[in-house]
Amino acid sequence: MGSWKMSDPIGLLGIVLALGLLIWLAYKGWSVLLLAPAAALVAAAVAREPLLAHWTQTFMGSAAQFVAQFFPLFLLGALFGKLMDDSGSVTAIARTMSERLGPRRAVLAVVLAGALVTYGGVSLFVAFFVLAPMAQALFRSADIPRRLMPAAIALGTSTFTMSALPGTPAIQNAIPMPFFGTTPFAAPGLGILASIIMLGFGLWWLGRAEAAARRAGEGYGGSAEAAVGVAADDQFIRERATAAREFDPAEIPHGHHSDAEPAIFAAVLPLIVVVGVNLLMSLFILPRLDFSFLDEDRWGDASLSSVAGVWAVAVALAVATATLVAINYRRLPALRASMDAGANASVLPVLSVASLVGFGAVVAALPAFAMVRDWVLSIGGGPLVSLATATNVLAALTGSASGGLTIALDALGGTYMTIAADRGIDPALMHRVAVIGAGTLDSLPHNGAVVTLLAVCGSTHRESYGDIVVVGIAGALIALAAVIALGSALGSF
């Protein structure tokens, strides 16, 4: 026992060293596929743990489990997003928003267009590449500073529709479902409230910033164009982006983009199908069917609660994709190429996030991690606060909401379920707190989505990151605090 205590600080130093290497080299553009196992082995070596066993058994076992659980959602989500883009549906929605709201409400048009397509299942990277030119035209026409473009796009695509709005098909909302036995619609009342706070606070800030710019005589400024093509081909951006979200931006130019846009109803219909089928599968169809066969050994002794959430989102995306192809078949002359590009766009992201999960599994298996676990669980304010802190910190360190969330729940999910049972806390409340928590500090400067968004908008961290912090981090933290306070007082609703 004494020997373990002596080695404990050394093992903790190894974890810190491994995390530092992972963050620094990932920021430099190194592939997470190389960095994650290398950093995991560094941590294991310092702790004097078996290296090969941790690589092939701990790291690969956990990474493979993540792929097995969530690759269907990465695949179908990327495929749906690519077909929505190539059919002209995303462009049609963005153009309609622009025309209906006009330059006088340019910020609102960009935010709502982004929210609509991402809540309907379109990858935020696809949304970035469509919304940036739209935002540029609107902001130039309204003489709004172009430095506010990234924050407006981020507010609509990367905040409440990713983590708070009930039923969102975002992978971040799916990850807690196998751990907590929840559905995509977990804690719907709290999720809606958090969404209102994020949206309202973000729009207030952007309106305030626009008004201040007008008073100062600041116009659109500069002649930088939306660098959509450059960003899609940039290998550095690609490496950072694929570890942060579920779509490989290198596949954006592939396939064939339709020259003709569908009518607005045809463009929006697949998004409605995603939400509607997701709701029906989660709350009505799956709970009424007999899945007792899952108890058999050949299905891995799975329970319906551990797979129902993923099944619901997968079926919703599959049905929406079939609907999309059926109503836009003539606008998809290179259907196979578009589908190939969508499928390919899912591979590097899922492997990148799985590698981060494997790294977290090795760290969690080290004896020194007991100190980290005990510290997290001892944080004042109760289990909801400690859970939010854990997902916040790990998402910040990895630069990935999905990676940080999975690492936290892999290491501590069972413990929090025990706490929930002992204290009568609804797992749905823990689900919503965990997802919103992971969607806050993941927007630090090294996050791949932030880097990609700035590149697509032709902007820089110095020009635009401050406003991203306010709408993407401050607003989410306020919403998270409100959810924790109300959830602690009233329970899940």
Side-chain angles (χ1 to χ4, degrees), residues 21-87:
L21 287 173
L22 178 64
I23 295 169
W24 181 60
L25 292 176
Y27 186 75
K28 294 291 184 182
W30 285 65
S31 173
V32 171
L33 299 181
L34 295 172
L35 290 180
L41 293 180
V42 167
V46 174
R48 297 186 178 182
E49 290 277 305
L51 299 186
L52 292 177
H54 269 307
W55 189 5
T56 62
Q57 305 306 116
T58 310
F59 183 98
M60 291 306 303
S62 184
Q65 183 181 9
F66 179 86
V67 174
Q69 281 184 315
F70 297 112
F71 181 61
L73 302 189
F74 276 81
L75 175 64
L76 291 169
L79 179 62
F80 178 69
K82 181 59 178 169
L83 291 175
M84 281 288 292
D85 184 28
D86 281 3
S87 67

Short mmCIF file of all heavy atoms in Angstrom, two decimals, residues 21-87:
data_model
loop_
_atom_site.label_atom_id
_atom_site.label_comp_id
_atom_site.label_asym_id
_atom_site.label_seq_id
_atom_site.Cartn_x
_atom_site.Cartn_y
_atom_site.Cartn_z
N LEU A 21 1.26 16.89 -23.94
CA LEU A 21 1.76 16.52 -25.27
C LEU A 21 0.62 16.42 -26.28
O LEU A 21 0.74 16.89 -27.42
CB LEU A 21 2.51 15.19 -25.19
CG LEU A 21 3.90 15.22 -24.53
CD1 LEU A 21 4.44 13.79 -24.37
CD2 LEU A 21 4.87 16.06 -25.36
N LEU A 22 -0.47 15.81 -25.85
CA LEU A 22 -1.62 15.65 -26.75
C LEU A 22 -2.16 17.01 -27.19
O LEU A 22 -2.40 17.25 -28.38
CB LEU A 22 -2.71 14.84 -26.04
CG LEU A 22 -4.01 14.60 -26.82
CD1 LEU A 22 -3.74 13.75 -28.05
CD2 LEU A 22 -5.05 13.94 -25.93
N ILE A 23 -2.34 17.91 -26.23
CA ILE A 23 -2.90 19.23 -26.55
C ILE A 23 -1.95 20.04 -27.42
O ILE A 23 -2.34 20.63 -28.43
CB ILE A 23 -3.20 20.00 -25.25
CG1 ILE A 23 -4.31 19.29 -24.46
CG2 ILE A 23 -3.62 21.43 -25.55
CD1 ILE A 23 -4.47 19.82 -23.05
N TRP A 24 -0.67 20.07 -27.05
CA TRP A 24 0.30 20.90 -27.77
C TRP A 24 0.51 20.42 -29.20
O TRP A 24 0.46 21.21 -30.15
CB TRP A 24 1.64 20.90 -27.01
CG TRP A 24 2.68 21.74 -27.67
CD1 TRP A 24 2.63 23.08 -27.94
CD2 TRP A 24 3.96 21.30 -28.18
NE1 TRP A 24 3.78 23.50 -28.56
CE2 TRP A 24 4.60 22.43 -28.72
CE3 TRP A 24 4.60 20.07 -28.20
CZ2 TRP A 24 5.87 22.35 -29.30
CZ3 TRP A 24 5.86 19.99 -28.77
CH2 TRP A 24 6.47 21.12 -29.31
N LEU A 25 0.72 19.11 -29.37
CA LEU A 25 0.98 18.60 -30.72
C LEU A 25 -0.29 18.62 -31.59
O LEU A 25 -0.21 18.84 -32.80
CB LEU A 25 1.56 17.20 -30.65
CG LEU A 25 2.97 17.13 -30.06
CD1 LEU A 25 3.43 15.67 -29.93
CD2 LEU A 25 3.97 17.92 -30.90
N ALA A 26 -1.46 18.41 -30.96
CA ALA A 26 -2.71 18.53 -31.73
C ALA A 26 -2.89 19.97 -32.20
O ALA A 26 -3.35 20.23 -33.33
CB ALA A 26 -3.90 18.09 -30.89
N TYR A 27 -2.54 20.93 -31.35
CA TYR A 27 -2.62 22.34 -31.72
C TYR A 27 -1.69 22.65 -32.88
O TYR A 27 -1.97 23.52 -33.72
CB TYR A 27 -2.29 23.21 -30.52
CG TYR A 27 -2.47 24.69 -30.76
CD1 TYR A 27 -3.75 25.25 -30.79
CD2 TYR A 27 -1.39 25.53 -30.95
CE1 TYR A 27 -3.94 26.60 -31.01
CE2 TYR A 27 -1.56 26.89 -31.18
CZ TYR A 27 -2.84 27.41 -31.20
OH TYR A 27 -3.02 28.75 -31.44
N LYS A 28 -0.58 21.91 -32.96
CA LYS A 28 0.37 22.10 -34.06
C LYS A 28 -0.07 21.42 -35.35
O LYS A 28 0.58 21.56 -36.38
CB LYS A 28 1.75 21.57 -33.65
CG LYS A 28 2.42 22.36 -32.51
CD LYS A 28 2.83 23.73 -32.97
CE LYS A 28 3.59 24.47 -31.88
NZ LYS A 28 3.97 25.85 -32.31
N GLY A 29 -1.17 20.66 -35.27
CA GLY A 29 -1.70 20.05 -36.47
C GLY A 29 -1.37 18.59 -36.66
O GLY A 29 -1.67 18.01 -37.70
N TRP A 30 -0.76 17.95 -35.65
CA TRP A 30 -0.47 16.52 -35.76
C TRP A 30 -1.76 15.72 -35.70
O TRP A 30 -2.73 16.10 -35.06
CB TRP A 30 0.47 16.09 -34.63
CG TRP A 30 1.90 16.52 -34.82
CD1 TRP A 30 2.37 17.80 -34.84
CD2 TRP A 30 3.01 15.67 -35.04
NE1 TRP A 30 3.72 17.81 -35.03
CE2 TRP A 30 4.16 16.51 -35.15
CE3 TRP A 30 3.19 14.29 -35.12
CZ2 TRP A 30 5.44 16.01 -35.36
CZ3 TRP A 30 4.47 13.79 -35.32
CH2 TRP A 30 5.57 14.65 -35.45
N SER A 31 -1.76 14.57 -36.36
CA SER A 31 -2.95 13.73 -36.40
C SER A 31 -3.22 13.10 -35.03
O SER A 31 -2.33 12.53 -34.40
CB SER A 31 -2.78 12.62 -37.44
OG SER A 31 -3.86 11.70 -37.36
N VAL A 32 -4.47 13.17 -34.61
CA VAL A 32 -4.88 12.54 -33.35
C VAL A 32 -4.73 11.02 -33.43
O VAL A 32 -4.52 10.36 -32.41
CB VAL A 32 -6.33 12.93 -33.02
CG1 VAL A 32 -6.88 12.13 -31.85
CG2 VAL A 32 -6.42 14.42 -32.71
N LEU A 33 -4.82 10.47 -34.63
CA LEU A 33 -4.65 9.02 -34.78
C LEU A 33 -3.28 8.56 -34.31
O LEU A 33 -3.12 7.43 -33.83
CB LEU A 33 -4.86 8.61 -36.25
CG LEU A 33 -6.24 8.90 -36.85
CD1 LEU A 33 -6.29 8.42 -38.29
CD2 LEU A 33 -7.33 8.22 -36.04
N LEU A 34 -2.27 9.42 -34.45
CA LEU A 34 -0.93 9.12 -33.95
C LEU A 34 -0.74 9.59 -32.52
O LEU A 34 -0.14 8.90 -31.69
CB LEU A 34 0.12 9.78 -34.85
CG LEU A 34 0.24 9.29 -36.29
CD1 LEU A 34 1.19 10.19 -37.06
CD2 LEU A 34 0.72 7.85 -36.32
N LEU A 35 -1.24 10.77 -32.23
CA LEU A 35 -0.99 11.39 -30.94
C LEU A 35 -1.66 10.65 -29.79
O LEU A 35 -1.06 10.48 -28.72
CB LEU A 35 -1.49 12.84 -30.94
CG LEU A 35 -0.72 13.84 -31.80
CD1 LEU A 35 -1.37 15.21 -31.68
CD2 LEU A 35 0.73 13.91 -31.37
N ALA A 36 -2.91 10.24 -29.96
CA ALA A 36 -3.66 9.65 -28.85
C ALA A 36 -3.00 8.38 -28.32
O ALA A 36 -2.78 8.26 -27.11
CB ALA A 36 -5.11 9.41 -29.26
N PRO A 37 -2.65 7.39 -29.18
CA PRO A 37 -1.98 6.21 -28.63
C PRO A 37 -0.59 6.53 -28.08
O PRO A 37 -0.18 5.97 -27.06
CB PRO A 37 -1.91 5.25 -29.81
CG PRO A 37 -2.09 6.08 -31.03
CD PRO A 37 -2.95 7.22 -30.61
N ALA A 38 0.13 7.45 -28.74
CA ALA A 38 1.46 7.80 -28.24
C ALA A 38 1.37 8.44 -26.86
O ALA A 38 2.13 8.11 -25.94
CB ALA A 38 2.15 8.74 -29.23
N ALA A 39 0.43 9.38 -26.69
CA ALA A 39 0.27 10.04 -25.39
C ALA A 39 -0.19 9.04 -24.33
O ALA A 39 0.24 9.10 -23.17
CB ALA A 39 -0.73 11.18 -25.51
N ALA A 40 -1.07 8.12 -24.71
CA ALA A 40 -1.52 7.09 -23.76
C ALA A 40 -0.35 6.23 -23.29
O ALA A 40 -0.25 5.89 -22.10
CB ALA A 40 -2.60 6.23 -24.40
N LEU A 41 0.53 5.88 -24.20
CA LEU A 41 1.69 5.06 -23.84
C LEU A 41 2.67 5.83 -22.97
O LEU A 41 3.34 5.25 -22.11
CB LEU A 41 2.38 4.54 -25.09
CG LEU A 41 1.56 3.54 -25.92
CD1 LEU A 41 2.33 3.09 -27.15
CD2 LEU A 41 1.16 2.35 -25.07
N VAL A 42 2.78 7.14 -23.17
CA VAL A 42 3.62 7.97 -22.30
C VAL A 42 3.09 7.91 -20.86
O VAL A 42 3.85 7.71 -19.90
CB VAL A 42 3.66 9.43 -22.80
CG1 VAL A 42 4.27 10.35 -21.73
CG2 VAL A 42 4.47 9.52 -24.08
N ALA A 43 1.77 8.09 -20.72
CA ALA A 43 1.18 8.03 -19.39
C ALA A 43 1.38 6.66 -18.75
O ALA A 43 1.70 6.56 -17.56
CB ALA A 43 -0.32 8.36 -19.47
N ALA A 44 1.21 5.61 -19.54
CA ALA A 44 1.39 4.25 -19.02
C ALA A 44 2.84 3.99 -18.66
O ALA A 44 3.14 3.33 -17.64
CB ALA A 44 0.90 3.24 -20.03
N ALA A 45 3.77 4.49 -19.45
CA ALA A 45 5.20 4.27 -19.19
C ALA A 45 5.63 4.95 -17.88
O ALA A 45 6.36 4.35 -17.08
CB ALA A 45 6.03 4.79 -20.36
N VAL A 46 5.19 6.18 -17.68
CA VAL A 46 5.55 6.88 -16.44
C VAL A 46 4.98 6.15 -15.23
O VAL A 46 5.62 6.09 -14.16
CB VAL A 46 5.04 8.34 -16.49
CG1 VAL A 46 5.27 9.03 -15.15
CG2 VAL A 46 5.74 9.10 -17.61
N ALA A 47 3.79 5.56 -15.38
CA ALA A 47 3.17 4.82 -14.29
C ALA A 47 3.72 3.40 -14.16
O ALA A 47 3.28 2.65 -13.28
CB ALA A 47 1.66 4.78 -14.49
N ARG A 48 4.64 3.02 -15.05
CA ARG A 48 5.23 1.69 -15.06
C ARG A 48 4.18 0.60 -15.24
O ARG A 48 4.20 -0.44 -14.60
CB ARG A 48 6.04 1.44 -13.78
CG ARG A 48 7.23 2.38 -13.61
CD ARG A 48 8.07 2.03 -12.43
NE ARG A 48 9.22 2.91 -12.33
CZ ARG A 48 10.18 2.81 -11.40
NH1 ARG A 48 10.11 1.84 -10.49
NH2 ARG A 48 11.18 3.66 -11.38
N GLU A 49 3.26 0.88 -16.16
CA GLU A 49 2.22 -0.07 -16.51
C GLU A 49 2.61 -0.78 -17.82
O GLU A 49 3.40 -0.24 -18.61
CB GLU A 49 0.89 0.66 -16.70
CG GLU A 49 0.28 1.21 -15.41
CD GLU A 49 -0.50 0.17 -14.67
OE1 GLU A 49 -1.41 -0.42 -15.26
OE2 GLU A 49 -0.18 -0.04 -13.47
N PRO A 50 2.06 -1.96 -18.08
CA PRO A 50 2.38 -2.70 -19.32
C PRO A 50 1.97 -1.91 -20.57
O PRO A 50 0.79 -1.61 -20.75
CB PRO A 50 1.58 -3.99 -19.19
CG PRO A 50 1.27 -4.12 -17.73
CD PRO A 50 1.15 -2.72 -17.21
N LEU A 51 2.92 -1.60 -21.42
CA LEU A 51 2.64 -0.74 -22.57
C LEU A 51 1.81 -1.44 -23.64
O LEU A 51 0.80 -0.92 -24.10
CB LEU A 51 3.96 -0.21 -23.15
CG LEU A 51 4.83 0.62 -22.22
CD1 LEU A 51 6.03 1.20 -22.99
CD2 LEU A 51 4.04 1.74 -21.58
N LEU A 52 2.28 -2.60 -24.09
CA LEU A 52 1.57 -3.27 -25.18
C LEU A 52 0.17 -3.69 -24.76
O LEU A 52 -0.77 -3.62 -25.56
CB LEU A 52 2.38 -4.48 -25.66
CG LEU A 52 3.70 -4.16 -26.37
CD1 LEU A 52 4.44 -5.45 -26.73
CD2 LEU A 52 3.45 -3.33 -27.62
N ALA A 53 0.03 -4.12 -23.53
CA ALA A 53 -1.30 -4.53 -23.06
C ALA A 53 -2.25 -3.34 -23.04
O ALA A 53 -3.43 -3.44 -23.43
CB ALA A 53 -1.19 -5.15 -21.66
N HIS A 54 -1.76 -2.19 -22.60
CA HIS A 54 -2.61 -1.00 -22.59
C HIS A 54 -2.94 -0.54 -24.01
O HIS A 54 -4.04 -0.02 -24.26
CB HIS A 54 -1.92 0.13 -21.83
CG HIS A 54 -2.25 0.15 -20.37
ND1 HIS A 54 -3.55 0.15 -19.90
CD2 HIS A 54 -1.46 0.16 -19.27
CE1 HIS A 54 -3.55 0.17 -18.58
NE2 HIS A 54 -2.29 0.16 -18.16
N TRP A 55 -2.00 -0.72 -24.95
CA TRP A 55 -2.28 -0.30 -26.32
C TRP A 55 -3.32 -1.21 -26.97
O TRP A 55 -4.34 -0.74 -27.49
CB TRP A 55 -0.98 -0.29 -27.13
CG TRP A 55 -1.14 0.34 -28.49
CD1 TRP A 55 -2.24 0.96 -29.00
CD2 TRP A 55 -0.14 0.43 -29.52
NE1 TRP A 55 -2.01 1.43 -30.28
CE2 TRP A 55 -0.72 1.11 -30.62
CE3 TRP A 55 1.18 0.00 -29.60
CZ2 TRP A 55 -0.01 1.36 -31.79
CZ3 TRP A 55 1.88 0.25 -30.78
CH2 TRP A 55 1.29 0.93 -31.85
N THR A 56 -3.06 -2.52 -26.96
CA THR A 56 -3.93 -3.43 -27.71
C THR A 56 -5.20 -3.80 -26.96
O THR A 56 -6.23 -4.09 -27.59
CB THR A 56 -3.18 -4.72 -28.07
OG1 THR A 56 -2.78 -5.40 -26.87
CG2 THR A 56 -1.95 -4.40 -28.92
N GLN A 57 -5.18 -3.78 -25.62
CA GLN A 57 -6.35 -4.20 -24.87
C GLN A 57 -7.17 -3.02 -24.34
O GLN A 57 -8.37 -2.94 -24.59
CB GLN A 57 -5.93 -5.10 -23.70
CG GLN A 57 -5.09 -6.30 -24.11
CD GLN A 57 -5.75 -7.13 -25.19
OE1 GLN A 57 -5.22 -7.24 -26.30
NE2 GLN A 57 -6.90 -7.70 -24.90
N THR A 58 -6.50 -2.10 -23.66
CA THR A 58 -7.24 -0.97 -23.08
C THR A 58 -7.60 0.06 -24.13
O THR A 58 -8.78 0.40 -24.32
CB THR A 58 -6.42 -0.31 -21.96
OG1 THR A 58 -5.96 -1.31 -21.05
CG2 THR A 58 -7.26 0.70 -21.22
N PHE A 59 -6.57 0.58 -24.83
CA PHE A 59 -6.79 1.63 -25.82
C PHE A 59 -7.69 1.14 -26.96
O PHE A 59 -8.75 1.72 -27.23
CB PHE A 59 -5.45 2.10 -26.37
CG PHE A 59 -5.55 3.24 -27.37
CD1 PHE A 59 -5.33 4.54 -26.96
CD2 PHE A 59 -5.85 3.01 -28.70
CE1 PHE A 59 -5.44 5.60 -27.86
CE2 PHE A 59 -5.95 4.05 -29.60
CZ PHE A 59 -5.73 5.34 -29.18
N MET A 60 -7.28 0.07 -27.61
CA MET A 60 -8.03 -0.40 -28.78
C MET A 60 -9.39 -0.96 -28.38
O MET A 60 -10.37 -0.80 -29.13
CB MET A 60 -7.23 -1.47 -29.53
CG MET A 60 -5.99 -0.93 -30.22
SD MET A 60 -6.32 0.47 -31.33
CE MET A 60 -7.53 -0.23 -32.45
N GLY A 61 -9.49 -1.58 -27.21
CA GLY A 61 -10.78 -2.09 -26.78
C GLY A 61 -11.80 -0.98 -26.60
O GLY A 61 -12.95 -1.09 -27.05
N SER A 62 -11.38 0.11 -25.96
CA SER A 62 -12.29 1.23 -25.73
C SER A 62 -12.61 1.96 -27.04
O SER A 62 -13.76 2.34 -27.29
CB SER A 62 -11.68 2.19 -24.72
OG SER A 62 -12.58 3.23 -24.41
N ALA A 63 -11.59 2.16 -27.89
CA ALA A 63 -11.82 2.82 -29.18
C ALA A 63 -12.77 2.01 -30.04
O ALA A 63 -13.68 2.56 -30.68
CB ALA A 63 -10.48 3.03 -29.90
N ALA A 64 -12.58 0.69 -30.04
CA ALA A 64 -13.44 -0.17 -30.85
C ALA A 64 -14.88 -0.15 -30.33
O ALA A 64 -15.84 -0.18 -31.11
CB ALA A 64 -12.91 -1.60 -30.84
N GLN A 65 -15.04 -0.09 -29.02
CA GLN A 65 -16.38 -0.02 -28.46
C GLN A 65 -17.09 1.26 -28.87
O GLN A 65 -18.29 1.25 -29.18
CB GLN A 65 -16.32 -0.12 -26.94
CG GLN A 65 -17.69 -0.12 -26.27
CD GLN A 65 -17.61 -0.20 -24.77
OE1 GLN A 65 -16.54 -0.08 -24.19
NE2 GLN A 65 -18.75 -0.39 -24.12
N PHE A 66 -16.35 2.37 -28.89
CA PHE A 66 -16.95 3.64 -29.32
C PHE A 66 -17.40 3.55 -30.78
O PHE A 66 -18.51 3.98 -31.12
CB PHE A 66 -15.95 4.78 -29.15
CG PHE A 66 -16.49 6.12 -29.59
CD1 PHE A 66 -17.23 6.90 -28.72
CD2 PHE A 66 -16.26 6.59 -30.88
CE1 PHE A 66 -17.75 8.13 -29.12
CE2 PHE A 66 -16.77 7.81 -31.30
CZ PHE A 66 -17.51 8.57 -30.42
N VAL A 67 -16.54 3.00 -31.64
CA VAL A 67 -16.90 2.86 -33.05
C VAL A 67 -18.13 1.97 -33.19
O VAL A 67 -19.05 2.26 -33.97
CB VAL A 67 -15.71 2.30 -33.86
CG1 VAL A 67 -16.13 2.01 -35.30
CG2 VAL A 67 -14.55 3.28 -33.85
N ALA A 68 -18.15 0.86 -32.45
CA ALA A 68 -19.28 -0.07 -32.54
C ALA A 68 -20.58 0.60 -32.12
O ALA A 68 -21.65 0.37 -32.72
CB ALA A 68 -19.01 -1.30 -31.68
N GLN A 69 -20.52 1.45 -31.10
CA GLN A 69 -21.73 2.10 -30.61
C GLN A 69 -22.21 3.23 -31.51
O GLN A 69 -23.42 3.37 -31.75
CB GLN A 69 -21.48 2.67 -29.20
CG GLN A 69 -21.54 1.67 -28.08
CD GLN A 69 -21.39 2.34 -26.73
OE1 GLN A 69 -20.52 3.19 -26.54
NE2 GLN A 69 -22.22 1.96 -25.77
N PHE A 70 -21.27 4.04 -32.03
CA PHE A 70 -21.68 5.31 -32.62
C PHE A 70 -21.35 5.49 -34.11
O PHE A 70 -21.77 6.49 -34.69
CB PHE A 70 -21.06 6.47 -31.82
CG PHE A 70 -21.53 6.53 -30.41
CD1 PHE A 70 -20.67 6.27 -29.36
CD2 PHE A 70 -22.85 6.83 -30.11
CE1 PHE A 70 -21.10 6.32 -28.05
CE2 PHE A 70 -23.30 6.88 -28.81
CZ PHE A 70 -22.42 6.62 -27.77
N PHE A 71 -20.64 4.53 -34.72
CA PHE A 71 -20.35 4.72 -36.14
C PHE A 71 -21.61 4.81 -37.00
O PHE A 71 -21.63 5.59 -37.97
CB PHE A 71 -19.43 3.61 -36.67
CG PHE A 71 -19.08 3.78 -38.13
CD1 PHE A 71 -18.41 4.91 -38.56
CD2 PHE A 71 -19.46 2.84 -39.06
CE1 PHE A 71 -18.09 5.09 -39.90
CE2 PHE A 71 -19.15 3.00 -40.41
CZ PHE A 71 -18.47 4.12 -40.83
N PRO A 72 -22.68 4.06 -36.70
CA PRO A 72 -23.90 4.25 -37.51
C PRO A 72 -24.39 5.70 -37.54
O PRO A 72 -24.86 6.18 -38.58
CB PRO A 72 -24.92 3.33 -36.81
CG PRO A 72 -24.09 2.26 -36.20
CD PRO A 72 -22.85 2.95 -35.74
N LEU A 73 -24.25 6.41 -36.41
CA LEU A 73 -24.69 7.80 -36.38
C LEU A 73 -23.73 8.71 -37.13
O LEU A 73 -24.16 9.65 -37.81
CB LEU A 73 -24.85 8.27 -34.93
CG LEU A 73 -25.81 7.47 -34.06
CD1 LEU A 73 -26.02 8.17 -32.72
CD2 LEU A 73 -27.15 7.27 -34.77
N PHE A 74 -22.43 8.47 -37.00
CA PHE A 74 -21.46 9.23 -37.79
C PHE A 74 -21.71 9.03 -39.27
O PHE A 74 -21.74 9.99 -40.06
CB PHE A 74 -20.03 8.79 -37.44
CG PHE A 74 -19.45 9.44 -36.23
CD1 PHE A 74 -19.75 8.99 -34.97
CD2 PHE A 74 -18.57 10.52 -36.35
CE1 PHE A 74 -19.21 9.58 -33.83
CE2 PHE A 74 -18.01 11.12 -35.23
CZ PHE A 74 -18.34 10.66 -33.97
N LEU A 75 -21.90 7.77 -39.69
CA LEU A 75 -22.10 7.45 -41.10
C LEU A 75 -23.38 8.08 -41.65
O LEU A 75 -23.35 8.79 -42.67
CB LEU A 75 -22.15 5.93 -41.27
CG LEU A 75 -22.47 5.41 -42.68
CD1 LEU A 75 -21.39 5.81 -43.67
CD2 LEU A 75 -22.66 3.90 -42.66
N LEU A 76 -24.50 7.84 -40.98
CA LEU A 76 -25.77 8.35 -41.49
C LEU A 76 -25.84 9.86 -41.40
O LEU A 76 -26.42 10.52 -42.27
CB LEU A 76 -26.92 7.72 -40.71
CG LEU A 76 -27.14 6.22 -40.94
CD1 LEU A 76 -28.12 5.65 -39.94
CD2 LEU A 76 -27.62 5.96 -42.37
N GLY A 77 -25.26 10.43 -40.34
CA GLY A 77 -25.26 11.89 -40.21
C GLY A 77 -24.46 12.57 -41.30
O GLY A 77 -24.90 13.57 -41.88
N ALA A 78 -23.27 12.03 -41.60
CA ALA A 78 -22.45 12.61 -42.66
C ALA A 78 -23.10 12.42 -44.03
O ALA A 78 -23.06 13.33 -44.88
CB ALA A 78 -21.06 11.97 -42.64
N LEU A 79 -23.69 11.27 -44.25
CA LEU A 79 -24.37 11.00 -45.53
C LEU A 79 -25.54 11.95 -45.72
O LEU A 79 -25.70 12.56 -46.80
CB LEU A 79 -24.85 9.55 -45.55
CG LEU A 79 -25.59 9.08 -46.80
CD1 LEU A 79 -24.69 9.18 -48.02
CD2 LEU A 79 -26.09 7.65 -46.61
N PHE A 80 -26.34 12.12 -44.69
CA PHE A 80 -27.50 13.01 -44.78
C PHE A 80 -27.04 14.45 -45.02
O PHE A 80 -27.60 15.17 -45.87
CB PHE A 80 -28.31 12.92 -43.49
CG PHE A 80 -29.50 13.83 -43.45
CD1 PHE A 80 -30.59 13.63 -44.27
CD2 PHE A 80 -29.53 14.91 -42.56
CE1 PHE A 80 -31.69 14.47 -44.22
CE2 PHE A 80 -30.63 15.76 -42.51
CZ PHE A 80 -31.71 15.54 -43.34
N GLY A 81 -26.02 14.89 -44.29
CA GLY A 81 -25.53 16.25 -44.46
C GLY A 81 -24.99 16.51 -45.85
O GLY A 81 -25.25 17.58 -46.44
N LYS A 82 -24.27 15.54 -46.40
CA LYS A 82 -23.70 15.71 -47.74
C LYS A 82 -24.80 15.77 -48.80
O LYS A 82 -24.75 16.61 -49.73
CB LYS A 82 -22.74 14.56 -48.04
CG LYS A 82 -22.08 14.64 -49.41
CD LYS A 82 -21.27 15.91 -49.58
CE LYS A 82 -20.56 15.95 -50.93
NZ LYS A 82 -19.99 17.28 -51.21
N LEU A 83 -25.81 14.93 -48.68
CA LEU A 83 -26.90 14.94 -49.66
C LEU A 83 -27.75 16.21 -49.53
O LEU A 83 -28.23 16.73 -50.54
CB LEU A 83 -27.77 13.70 -49.49
CG LEU A 83 -27.10 12.37 -49.89
CD1 LEU A 83 -28.00 11.20 -49.56
CD2 LEU A 83 -26.75 12.37 -51.37
N MET A 84 -27.93 16.70 -48.30
CA MET A 84 -28.64 17.97 -48.13
C MET A 84 -27.89 19.10 -48.82
O MET A 84 -28.50 20.00 -49.43
CB MET A 84 -28.80 18.27 -46.64
CG MET A 84 -29.91 17.53 -45.94
SD MET A 84 -31.58 18.08 -46.38
CE MET A 84 -31.60 19.73 -45.65
N ASP A 85 -26.57 19.05 -48.76
CA ASP A 85 -25.75 20.08 -49.40
C ASP A 85 -25.80 19.94 -50.92
O ASP A 85 -26.09 20.90 -51.64
CB ASP A 85 -24.32 19.97 -48.90
CG ASP A 85 -23.42 21.06 -49.45
OD1 ASP A 85 -23.92 22.16 -49.76
OD2 ASP A 85 -22.20 20.82 -49.59
N ASP A 86 -25.52 18.74 -51.43
CA ASP A 86 -25.44 18.54 -52.87
C ASP A 86 -26.79 18.72 -53.57
O ASP A 86 -26.84 19.08 -54.75
CB ASP A 86 -24.88 17.14 -53.18
CG ASP A 86 -23.37 17.10 -53.03
OD1 ASP A 86 -22.78 18.13 -52.64
OD2 ASP A 86 -22.76 16.05 -53.30
N SER A 87 -27.89 18.46 -52.87
CA SER A 87 -29.21 18.65 -53.48
C SER A 87 -29.61 20.13 -53.55
O SER A 87 -30.62 20.47 -54.17
CB SER A 87 -30.27 17.88 -52.68
OG SER A 87 -30.43 18.44 -51.39
#
